[in-house]
């Protein structure tokens, strides 16, 4: 009797490995250059895990929506701040009074429409902000919001700290704080400037 063939066909695939595949040497070298953040422990029951690719995409989409909404809001606000037409003098000719009435009506429609637009855009901004926060905090979002509800000053400090941990900005001197590699050639070697 012949031994079973070791070739894999479309019908008989080998079983998937029980464990994740190991990183290649090249990928290990890249991984060694990264400084993956650790989970952020807020309380003994609330832990925020660093954003994964899916959550980062959610954050990116929310930032994009915020950017677009802010542009639309600026346009709408410019319409709201359009000054009303000047009322003509009491002894103005009839055509001037009619022109004013028409211009005033158009202005009122413009401002009313802009007010509605501002309200709608503000609602979209609030929604995008929550989307960003849900992406950033992940499954811990609701617990985080509840915990910090009555701690607004601590909330500000917390957000600053966790963002610096999970989304570090480029260092002002151009060098990575962890490994010393140059990450921003334009800033490399420059003395950090004071913000005061």
């Amino acid at each position: 009797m012949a031994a079973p063939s070791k070739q894999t066909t479309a019908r008989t695939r080998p079983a998937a490995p029980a464990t994740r595949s190991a990183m290649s040497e090249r990928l290990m070298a890249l991984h060694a250059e990264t400084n993956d953040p650790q989970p952020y422990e807020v309380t003994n029951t609330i832990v925020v895990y660093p954003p994964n690719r899916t959550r980062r995409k959610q954050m990116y989409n929310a930032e994009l929506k915020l950017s677009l909404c802010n542009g639309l809001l600026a346009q709408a606000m410019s319409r709201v701040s359009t000054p009303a037409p000047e009322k003509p003098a009491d002894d103005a000719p009839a055509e001037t009074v009619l022109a004013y009435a028409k211009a005033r009506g158009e202005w009122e429609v413009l401002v009313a429409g802009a007010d509605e637009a501002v309200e709608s855009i503000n609602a979209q901004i609030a929604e995008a902000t929550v989307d960003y926060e849900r992406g950033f905090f992940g499954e811990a979002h609701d617990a985080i919001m509840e915990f910090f509800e009555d701690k607004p000053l601590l909330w500000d400090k917390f957000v600053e700290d966790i963002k610096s941990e999970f989304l570090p900005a480029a260092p002002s001197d151009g060098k990575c704080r962890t490994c010393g590699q140059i990450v921003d050639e334009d800033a490399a070697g420059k003395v950090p400037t004071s913000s005061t």
Side-chain angles (χ1 to χ4, degrees):
M1 178 173 219
S5 170
K6 294 202 179 212
Q7 291 181 339
T8 302
T9 66
R11 285 186 231 152
T12 59
R13 293 193 173 160
T19 60
R20 294 178 128 178
S21 59
M23 289 189 218
S24 68
E25 284 184 36
R26 183 173 184 169
L27 194 56
M28 287 295 288
L30 288 174
H31 187 266
E33 293 176 15
T34 64
N35 186 17
D36 291 338
Q38 297 300 309
Y40 191 109
E41 191 172 332
V42 180
T43 68
N44 61 339
T45 59
I46 303 173
V47 177
V48 181
Y49 291 90
N52 57 22
R53 287 182 54 221
T54 302
R55 287 173 43 206
R56 282 181 181 261
K57 185 173 183 176
Q58 182 179 357
M59 292 162 55
Y60 171 79
N61 288 337
E63 284 179 326
L64 183 60
K65 185 175 182 179
L66 282 168
S67 178
L68 292 171
C69 285
N70 283 324
L72 292 172
L73 185 61
Q75 290 175 359
M77 292 301 290
S78 70
R79 290 193 315 232
V80 169
S81 63
T82 302
E86 269 190 54
K87 185 175 182 181
D90 290 338
D91 59 348
E95 59 267 359
T96 303
V97 172
L98 288 174
Y100 164 76
K102 180 181 177 190
R104 176 72 187 200
E106 290 171 352
W107 176 82
E108 287 175 358
V109 168
L110 175 73
V111 170
D115 284 341
E116 290 171 15
V118 166
E119 188 175 316
S120 172
I121 293 166
N122 279 331
Q124 291 177 48
I125 287 173
E127 181 181 303
T129 300
V130 170
D131 288 347
Y132 181 89
E133 290 172 344
R134 286 194 177 283
F136 188 82
F137 295 117
E139 293 177 4
H141 176 269
D142 293 342
I144 292 284
M145 294 302 144
E146 183 179 336
F147 180 79
F148 285 101
E149 179 62 32
D150 60 349
K151 302 169 185 69
L153 298 177
L154 181 58
W155 167 257
D156 292 341
K157 293 284 190 186
F158 164 69
V159 168
E160 183 180 318
D161 187 52
I162 195 168
K163 279 189 174 184
S164 70
E165 180 67 25
F166 287 172
L167 308 171
S172 58
D173 66 355
K175 292 183 181 179
C176 174
R177 290 185 280 290
T178 306
C179 67
Q181 278 190 316
I182 294 175
V183 293
D184 183 356
E185 290 187 21
D186 291 336
K190 295 181 181 172
V191 177
T193 57
S194 173
S195 60
T196 56

